[in-house]
Amino acid sequence: QIDEAEVVAFSVPSYACLRRTTLDNHNPVLTDALSLLAENAELSDEDGRGVAFRRAAAVLKALPEPVTGVTQLRGLPCLGGHSLRVIRDILENGASSEVEFTKQSERFKALKVLTDIFGVGAKTAERWIRDGIHSLHQLQESGQTLNRAQQAGLEHYDDLKQPVTKAEADAIGEIVEEAVVSVLPGAQITLIGGFRRGKLTGHDVDFLITHPEEGREVGLMPKVVSWLESQGFLLYQKTTRNSYLEAKDGPARPASNMDRFERCFSIFKLADAEKRGTKQTENTPEDTCRLAAHSQVTDEGPKPASGHRRWRAVRVDLVVSPISQFAFALLGWTGSKLFERELRRWAGHEKAMSLSSHALYDNKQGRYLKATSEEEIFTYLGLEYIPPSERNA
Ligand code: GTP
Ligand code: MN
Ligand code: MN
């Protein structure tokens, strides 16, 4: 009884969209361990287990202070036997044998290296591993056919592994803004994804583009991409019309005008900070060589070939949404991925509604609920508004 009283018991709601999760994580060792197991499960085609570990990690991210003993976790949601065992191991022995074993395993290491290539998913990596390919070198020697995305991913592997900084995200934002207003005056861009949640670094930069007049955004993406290409900003791009039939958004079936969502997965060529003021068109391959040769003379000494470059590759995602769907797109693309998943689960299980990045459908009323802001969507869902900085579940 006395023990019980001394223990700080935490209380956390079970849906991540009922919690405020800032970037101030008090249990990084535990959440890193659970996230690694989640990643391993996802890479092994065990999505159910992956989600379970993600949920467990998210509960710990929401705690107001470090966990010191498993008794504190009594009554917390989403902590299954497996996750509790991992947590106990770390609290009592300083490490989890399962996590350490996974980290060291050749299979996990190979899956990580290969899926870190842009354009390579778990299925492809799995197939390559079965063919004895465990490293980038082995992949290059293997004569495997790579698609255009994978070729670009391999070519820019080192750059794309480097986290993108907020400063770089802002620099890209200025370029995208210039592109967008050049081809459609009045169009607006919004930073989404992790940077909107206040993250200081990201694996890419995500932007949502819209125009205040419904319909003006139609056909915008190809124009933006052409502009960016003509200015030499794109190392790779793939534009897709995002028909809602192929989207993984579940049963929220937008009306027929909603298959216009366009998106572009791209790799930007971003000039180094000191060069950014000048026009990117000057930065042709010839120029890069000339600058490289020049820098060899003026810099301290010779550097490896990549050290001469005055630019880096950055992954950028662009999404175009009609203004009528903007609030849903904004909410759906701000993340985190788990927060989004939990919002949809809440909508479906607790409210009999279907939420997607296009729309909110009320199954009981049999109609779509219009919204012009994220706040309105939270209200429809019977949720307290959670700002982006507290959606870091
Ligand atoms: P980092 O980029 O790793 O810093 O984190 P992030 O949160 O920005 O992740 P990411 O760029 O992968 O995704 C940003 C948001 O877009 C997340 O909330 C995803 O759920 C959402 N998202 C990504 N891909 C898709 C997609 O294909 N469809 C929809 N509807 N949403 C997506
Ligand atoms: Mn992102
Ligand atoms: Mn992205």
Side-chain angles (χ1 to χ4, degrees), residues 114 214 245:
L114 296 176
E214 184 82 2
L245 291 174

Side-chain angles (χ1 to χ4, degrees), residues 193-194 197 199 201-204 206 249 263 332-337 340 357:
R197 302 197 307 274
K199 280 179 64 180
T201 61
H203 99 282
D204 68 358
D206 310 280
D249 288 326
R263 54 174 132 130
W333 285 83
T334 294
S336 68
K337 283 193 185 85
E340 303 293 340
S357 307

